């Protein structure tokens, strides 16, 4: 099974310091939906793993979150792609759950749902906690320089690579797709590539 696990805010759509609270506020990062569609057409199944503490904070409800994801998939369908499933943590930082990234609970849910070993499965995110959660579950970490990743200087990028060894850095989701698809004939070439792209 060809599976990719994506973060949402800052990776697929524009991040907001005050949270993405409605479908109107859910705006795709330029090129992200096209990248997802390219990956989907190449035979990859895409799933999202996302912290959504706005639920615990009372900023929106599950129906509104579902509406955001309906918009996401409707826009993706226009490009010939789709997200197979969205796994989300509804808890706040102090709730003590095991599904809020950087803990790997969402990834364990994904592994159980798809009955797959996540070793080597790409995880793509814009922050350290995305990569830590994925790496703990055995995923191959990929950082995009959008969202929170866009705020990192060279030292910040190097620190993430130090904390999550093997991290590959890409300008955005489109650059990640370029890299993955260019190495589809030889998957090991991706893992042996440079740490920063």
């Amino acid at each position: 099974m060809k599976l990719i696990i994506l973060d949402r805010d800052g990776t697929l759509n524009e991040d907001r310091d005050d949270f993405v609270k409605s479908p109107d506020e859910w705006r795709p990062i330029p090129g992200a939906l096209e990248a997802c569609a390219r990956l989907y057409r190449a035979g990859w199944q895409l799933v999202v793993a996302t912290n959504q503490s706005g639920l615990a904070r009372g900023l929106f409800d599950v129906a509104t979150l579902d509406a955001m994801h309906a918009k996401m998939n409707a826009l993706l369908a226009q490009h010939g792609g789709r997200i197979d499933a969205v796994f989300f943590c509804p808890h706040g930082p102090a709730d003590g759950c095991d599904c809020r990234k950087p803990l790997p609970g969402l990834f364990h849910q994904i592994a159980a749902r798809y009955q797959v070993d996540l070793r080597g499965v790409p995880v793509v995110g814009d922050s350290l906690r995305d990569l830590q959660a994925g790496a703990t579950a055995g995923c191959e970490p990929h950082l995009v320089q959008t969202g929170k990743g866009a705020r990192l200087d060279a030292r910040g990028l190097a620190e993430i690579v130090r904390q999550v060894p093997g991290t590959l850095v890409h300008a955005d989701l489109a650059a990640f797709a370029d890299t993955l698809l260019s190495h589809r004939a030889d998957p090991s070439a991706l893992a042996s590539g440079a740490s920063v792209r």
Side-chain angles (χ1 to χ4, degrees), residues 4-7 107 121-125 130-131 134-135 139-143:
I4 297 172
I5 301 172
L6 302 170
D7 173 50
F107 291 79
V121 169
V123 58
V124 187
D130 299 322
L131 306 187
C139 295
E140 180 183 86
H142 295 265
L143 179 75

Side-chain angles (χ1 to χ4, degrees), residues 25-63:
E25 292 182 354
W26 195 96
R27 298 186 182 104
I29 291 171
L33 297 182
E34 294 86 343
C36 287
R38 287 168 54 212
L39 293 164
Y40 177 75
R41 290 194 300 269
W44 293 88
Q45 281 193 275
L46 309 176
V47 300
V48 166
T50 178
N51 288 349
Q52 291 297 322
S53 67
L55 290 166
R57 299 171 198 268
L59 300 177
F60 52 86
D61 57 20
V62 172

Side-chain angles (χ1 to χ4, degrees), residues 62-163:
V62 172
T64 302
L65 185 66
D66 287 344
M68 293 183 216
H69 297 150
K71 175 182 179 179
M72 173 181 71
N73 262 323
L75 292 174
L76 253 175
Q78 295 174 15
H79 297 283
R82 72 186 295 265
I83 299 293
D84 194 61
V86 177
F87 294 78
F88 64 90
C89 170
H91 306 109
D95 287 345
C97 66
D98 72 346
C99 54
R100 182 174 168 82
K101 296 182 286 184
L103 296 175
L106 289 179
F107 291 79
H108 294 158
Q109 291 176 30
I110 293 168
R113 166 85 67 88
Y114 290 94
Q115 297 186 328
V116 295
D117 185 335
L118 295 182
R119 281 180 294 185
V121 169
V123 58
V124 187
D126 68 319
S127 71
L128 175 62
R129 67 186 178 190
D130 299 322
L131 306 187
Q132 288 174 321
T136 299
C139 295
E140 180 183 86
H142 295 265
L143 179 75
V144 286
Q145 293 180 281
T146 51
K148 293 177 180 63
R151 304 173 192 171
L152 296 169
D153 58 14
R155 177 180 287 182
L157 289 172
E159 179 60 19
I160 285 182
V161 172
R162 185 191 71 77
Q163 290 194 51

